[in-house]
Amino acid sequence: MADDQRRVRIAILGAGTVGSQVARLLIEQKDDLAQRIGAIPEIVGIAVLDPDEAREDDLPRSLLTSDLGALVAEADIIVELMGGIEPARTVLLRALNGGKSVVTANKALLAAHGPEIYEAADAAGADLYFEAAVAGAIPLVRPVRESLAGDRVKKILGIVNGTTNYVLDEMTTKHLAYDVALKEAQELGYAEADPTADVEGYDAAAKAAILASLAFHMRVRLEDVYREGITEITPHDVAAAAESGHVIKLLAIAERTEAGVCVRVHPALVPLAHPLANVRGAFNAVFIEAEAAGELMFYGKGAGGLPTASAVLGDIVSVARHLAIGGKGPRESNYVDVPVLPLSAARTRFQMRLRVLDQPGVLAKVAAILGKHQVSIEAVRQPPRAAEAPFAHLVISTHEAVEADLDATVDEIRECDVVNAVLSVLRIEGE
Ligand code: HSE
């Protein structure tokens, strides 16, 4: 490598699970990366809260600093792996305004403040890359932003949260209760001590907002995303899903309809034959339907230091290449002006499980309520011996219906004198 070869100065902000792997790989693979970039990638510093604190990694201590401002000023590329909104937002805006390129894995920041950050990058003519923000190692942001730029994405169905997929998979394969599966996930390090962001669907909602914005060329904000988590899913729901040939998955769904776009995160029944049904453990997968391309599926590890570092390094190489040879990567486009629809306007299929009196005329009464609200029944099943006398269970699957109509249906069914309980209402996706 020639000594006079151009250097690209890189600041890494944060040295946690991802940051430490990014730094290690940049150091270990420097020569290879230099060949790919056409310039030598040089880490000018790694920002940590306390440079003197004992660490398990063997990153050169001389690179550690707590002086974020000085580090950012010295670098050409800022790699933000701190997470959280502040100080990340302020630091990145300042960096972009100063013309520096940014690589970030910070989905929460992009989902909450994306427009401001995208605009700052665009105004400064700087690169903003964030492949690791959605589904970790899986190449997804680039395919959606670049490879599919000539197509029209119709629908995205994604398992974009590994923690919840792990918990649901354990509930499915080992017949565990939610609490037991979650505890196991925490012991294995898949779930955080405070699992709220994952199990309540906030993490998936942030990723859904980012993906929908890219796929539909518009601004979808976090608050536009309807969100339900998996905390209410019971072993009975899982067993009933299996009986009807489904598996329960937490899905991030972004859909373009004639009326606008609808973006939502909720548990859903996925048919066993659908590719997403076979996504096991903590893996992520995203299924995309595009007008010309047809169906596409992206699969891989959505979290973890090393897999996520792969996506970050890919971004660093892209951005560094632009600095080395001139030019800039594509920005996200946001020219589409259609409404973001509330969930009540979405059209989905449902399966509801009811505990009803086991006597003549019950099915007719329930069916009449569905009919009254324009919800068409696709199938009714009465699982044998599922309930103690005088009750029976009914499992009703519907054709596609408007959410608002389904809500009204369920409200009325709850009040119906022959219905003892609405045991669950789950949407069906992927059929
Ligand atoms: N906590 C996320 C998950 C990974 O469980 O998939 C980071 O987005």
Side-chain angles (χ1 to χ4, degrees):
M1 194 184 305
D3 274 351
D4 59 357
Q5 193 174 348
R6 172 154 186 208
R7 285 169 197 274
V8 179
R9 295 163 300 172
I10 299 167
I12 299 177
L13 314 186
T17 12
V18 180
S20 56
Q21 294 292 347
V22 169
R24 180 179 68 78
L25 292 171
L26 262 173
I27 293 166
E28 286 177 11
Q29 301 180 6
K30 187 174 182 174
D31 292 348
D32 263 347
L33 294 173
Q35 295 295 337
R36 297 175 199 171
I37 292 167
I40 300 169
E42 185 189 346
I43 301 179
V44 288
I46 303 170
V48 292
L49 281 177
D50 179 3
D52 298 321
E53 198 177 51
R55 301 184 57 83
E56 280 175 10
D57 56 59
D58 42 5
L59 294 177
R61 296 300 180 257
S62 57
L63 288 176
L64 303 183
T65 173
S66 56
D67 191 344
L68 266 178
L71 182 56
V72 168
E74 226 186 309
D76 305 306
I77 302 174
I78 314 303
V79 182
E80 188 272 308
L81 301 168
M82 300 182 288
I85 304 297
E86 289 294 352
R89 174 181 158 272
T90 304
V91 171
L92 291 196
L93 285 173
R94 197 174 299 148
L96 289 166
N97 290 336
K100 312 222 175 221
S101 298
V102 164
V103 172
T104 178
N106 195 331
K107 65 198 157 275
L109 178 64
L110 292 173
H113 297 280
E116 166 181 45
I117 294 169
Y118 299 140
E119 290 312 327
D122 198 43
D127 270 337
L128 172 63
Y129 272 59
F130 47 92
E131 184 62 70
V134 185
I138 307 176
L140 188 63
V141 169
R142 246 190 220 76
V144 174
R145 178 159 81 169
E146 299 176 35
S147 316
L148 289 170
D151 208 331
R152 277 170 69 94
V153 174
K154 296 194 290 188
K155 188 165 183 178
I156 297 178
L157 285 180
I159 295 172
V160 293
N161 184 269
T163 304
T164 46
N165 202 57
Y166 181 84
V167 169
L168 290 171
D169 195 33
E170 290 292 288
M171 290 178 73
T172 303
T173 53
K174 297 189 185 158
H175 313 292
L176 301 181
Y178 166 77
D179 289 345
V180 178
L182 175 63
K183 192 157 176 287
E184 189 191 288
Q186 285 170 320
E187 281 163 7
L188 290 170
Y190 288 124
E192 308 270 344
D194 176 359
T196 313
D198 292 318
V199 299
E200 296 290 1
Y202 291 101
D203 175 79
K207 294 165 179 169
I210 296 170
L211 272 184
S213 301
L214 293 173
F216 302 135
H217 308 278
M218 60 188 287
R219 296 268 156 82
V220 177
R221 300 162 308 158
L222 188 53
E223 53 270 36
D224 296 325
V225 183
Y226 172 81
R227 178 194 53 76
E228 265 176 47
I230 63 163
T231 55
E232 305 291 319
I233 301 293
T234 66
H236 293 298
D237 295 330
V238 173
E243 277 169 22
S244 67
H246 296 90
V247 63
I248 301 178
K249 296 288 186 189
L250 182 74
L251 295 185
I253 302 164
E255 191 171 16
R256 175 89 201 245
T257 69
E258 278 176 17
V261 305
C262 183
V263 189
R264 53 191 200 268
V265 169
H266 54 69
L269 295 168
V270 176
L272 289 171
H274 193 282
L276 287 177
N278 293 310
V279 177
R280 305 286 310 277
F283 275 84
N284 282 194
V286 177
F287 189 81
I288 299 183
E289 291 172 43
E291 227 164 73
E295 294 176 348
L296 302 162
M297 171 103 160
F298 301 82
Y299 173 87
K301 288 190 175 154
L306 201 52
T308 309
S310 162
V312 173
L313 277 163
D315 280 354
I316 293 175
V317 169
S318 293
V319 169
R321 276 178 181 154
H322 299 153
L323 292 175
I325 61 174
K328 165 183 178 315
R331 61 159 290 167
E332 41 79 56
S333 54
N334 62 352
Y335 66 93
V336 172
D337 185 18
V338 296
V340 182
L341 305 170
L343 182 75
S344 57
R347 290 183 64 83
T348 40
R349 295 188 53 218
F350 299 89
Q351 186 181 91
M352 66 180 98
R353 289 194 305 119
L354 310 177
R355 187 162 56 222
V356 297
L357 284 175
D358 195 6
Q359 63 188 34
V362 168
L363 190 55
K365 267 194 175 180
V366 172
I369 298 173
L370 279 109
K372 177 178 155 193
H373 294 283
Q374 305 302 316
V375 179
S376 168
I377 295 174
E378 190 245 358
V380 180
R381 206 161 45 87
Q382 182 174 338
R385 293 184 301 282
E388 295 295 319
F391 299 116
H393 281 183
L394 284 182
V395 181
I396 303 177
S397 307
T398 74
H399 288 296
E400 215 174 66
V402 178
E403 277 270 348
D405 292 337
L406 189 275
D407 282 350
T409 305
V410 174
D411 286 347
E412 194 168 336
I413 285 179
R414 271 188 225 286
E415 299 305 317
C416 180
D417 57 353
V418 297
V419 175
N420 175 260
V422 176
L423 299 170
S424 72
V425 180
L426 284 167
R427 299 172 185 88
I428 304 172
E429 287 289 343
E431 272 184 352

